[in-house]
Amino acid sequence: MNDTKRRLADPLEDIEALSLATFQSTLSARQGEAERVSRMLHHFDQIVDVSAVRDIGVVGCGPHPEIIALLAARGYSVTGVEPVPLFVDAAEKLLAGKGRVLIGCAEKLPFESASLDLVFFENVLEHVESPSQCMNEMYRVLRPGGLVLVTTTNRHRFSARGIN
């Protein structure tokens, strides 16, 4: 038996740093974020008056929250939520005061009740322990008439009860 091999059951050292490096290596493939944000706001304006939107939350914003910077540049107050401390640090450094990122999880959002007009919850639901608790939290933090954008990469099956 070779003791230098890492078994799949063994914890991976510095997984946060490895994950951050992997994420950053894929950034060049992500282009057109400004156009995507413009399109989304245009579509949202068909549902709610986006000119009245003040406070936005971005759940699971990751280490490179370009969406926060883009929305902040449009005058919105934007706060991201991210559970990985190293990602929070990287995001704060990237934003340089143009928006903020809090450490937290989707099942217990670090926002007051009825404090957000819009919540972005993109490609996070497939990573959480309790999708139903996340949905409850998003409802809790929305102001009356608020809007949540939920997307998931799990195209085969989604259950709000957590049976995925």
Side-chain angles (χ1 to χ4, degrees):
M1 183 170 142
N2 184 348
D3 290 332
T4 61
K5 286 186 177 179
R6 186 185 73 79
R7 302 287 178 221
L8 288 175
D10 294 338
L12 183 60
E13 296 294 321
D14 298 324
I15 191 148
E16 286 183 16
L18 179 61
S19 181
L20 178 60
T22 301
F23 185 90
Q24 289 173 330
S25 72
T26 65
L27 286 178
S28 61
R30 289 184 51 174
Q31 295 179 6
E33 187 71 355
E35 293 83 14
R36 187 179 82 89
V37 168
S38 291
R39 272 194 322 273
M40 284 190 297
L41 290 173
H42 171 76
H43 292 304
F44 295 162
D45 199 44
Q46 306 300 308
I47 303 167
V48 298
D49 180 5
V50 295
S51 68
V53 169
R54 297 182 312 271
D55 302 299
I56 299 175
V58 179
V59 181
C61 65
H64 194 271
E66 187 177 359
I67 190 169
I68 292 175
L70 291 167
L71 290 167
R74 290 174 176 253
Y76 299 109
S77 172
V78 191
T79 303
V81 176
E82 175 58 45
V84 180
L86 191 61
F87 284 18
V88 172
D89 294 342
E92 285 283 336
K93 190 177 290 184
L94 176 108
L95 291 171
K98 299 172 188 157
R100 63 185 181 141
V101 179
L102 305 174
I103 191 150
C105 67
E107 290 92 347
K108 189 169 184 188
L109 294 172
F111 298 112
E112 296 291 323
S113 296
S115 62
L116 299 175
D117 300 302
L118 181 59
V119 176
F120 286 84
F121 195 72
E122 297 182 278
N123 302 319
V124 175
L125 204 54
E126 63 273 14
H127 299 284
V128 301
E129 290 185 27
S130 176
S132 58
Q133 180 60 34
C134 295
M135 300 301 272
N136 288 336
E137 276 295 281
M138 285 185 284
Y139 181 77
R140 179 187 68 79
V141 302
L142 275 182
R143 289 187 176 119
L147 185 66
V148 175
L149 171 68
V150 179
T151 63
T152 181
T153 58
N154 187 349
R155 65 180 186 267
H156 299 292
R157 180 172 182 199
F158 167 74
S159 167
R161 290 190 214 132
I163 307 166
N164 292 330

